[in-house]
Amino acid sequence: MPLRIVVLGDELVAGVGDPKALGWVGRVVARTIAPEPPVVLTLAMPGETSTELAARWEAETLTRLDPAADNRLVIALGRADVAAGLSLARSRLNLANILDSAAQRNIAAFAVGPPPGRATDNLRLSGLSAALGDVADRRAVPYVEAFAPLVAHDQWLADMAASDGVLPGQAGYGLIAWLVLHTGWHAWLGLPSDAD
């Protein structure tokens, strides 16, 4: 059965700032070895909060699913909740609603947390990432913790310093892709683990 993967998120899903225009999604798809290449549909909305994502995910996703495919959903949560001042409770509820609704529709989900951003936001981003990870864990949904491994990573910091401090470049997107690929991606897709 062919794979169809819908990826929802913000500008990081679109790979904004990557000189190779691949972002982390393109790098992950390039390393996803399946009997039939998956159809990957990236639905990015720059600056989107989890509230906005929760409001649009069904309308945009359901029209793109294929009844003859193994349909999957990737929720890539960005940093906009922190910038918008959303409470952790609201962010948790937004993700919970998405994951619960996807489960009711028998759509397997995978979640990617926010990476580090500006130093002034990182304390709140750390809390947000942990809260979102807890929501995913409670639902047995794979969750990529992108914040903790990257917050003090030399290559991430250098990449962010070379840009505007908000968007990663080629190296930063490569690091996020590595984390996704090594946090159960292939197992979630039912592909051999040696593909990692």
Side-chain angles (χ1 to χ4, degrees):
M1 182 177 287
L3 280 167
R4 178 166 292 215
I5 306 168
V6 175
V7 185
L8 291 162
D10 64 4
E11 60 276 1
L12 295 172
V13 163
V16 175
D18 181 2
K20 290 202 174 210
L22 292 171
W24 67 263
V25 175
R27 287 172 170 82
V28 167
V29 172
R31 298 286 310 271
T32 301
I33 300 165
E36 187 176 328
V39 173
V40 180
L41 305 168
T42 303
L43 307 176
M45 183 66 68
E48 180 175 63
T49 66
S50 63
T51 300
E52 294 162 332
L53 178 60
R56 78 171 170 106
W57 91 269
E58 280 185 290
E60 293 199 17
T61 300
L62 298 181
T63 60
R64 290 169 170 87
L65 301 182
D66 179 354
D70 178 358
N71 295 294
R72 304 293 178 120
L73 177 67
V74 177
I75 304 294
L77 301 145
R79 309 178 192 118
D81 283 12
V82 167
L86 263 63
S87 68
L88 287 181
R90 172 52 59 192
S91 298
R92 288 176 62 94
L93 181 61
N94 290 334
L95 178 58
N97 287 339
I98 296 168
L99 296 179
D100 291 346
S101 181
Q104 289 168 0
R105 295 176 179 279
N106 294 316
I107 304 169
F110 187 96
V112 180
R118 296 187 190 280
T120 53
D121 293 333
N122 279 344
L123 181 60
R124 288 180 295 160
L125 283 169
S126 175
L128 176 63
S129 183
L132 297 172
D134 181 61
V135 170
D137 288 345
R138 288 172 186 264
R139 287 156 178 79
V141 169
Y143 180 77
V144 177
E145 167 60 59
F147 181 86
L150 298 179
V151 70
H153 192 288
D154 290 342
Q155 196 173 13
W156 175 267
L157 295 172
D159 203 44
M160 293 293 281
S163 71
D164 61 2
V166 176
L167 294 169
Q170 183 176 334
Y173 280 115
L175 289 168
I176 297 171
W178 189 93
L179 289 170
V180 171
L181 288 165
H182 291 84
T183 310
W185 175 257
H186 289 92
W188 176 68
L189 293 175
L191 299 174
S193 60
D194 62 356
D196 282 312

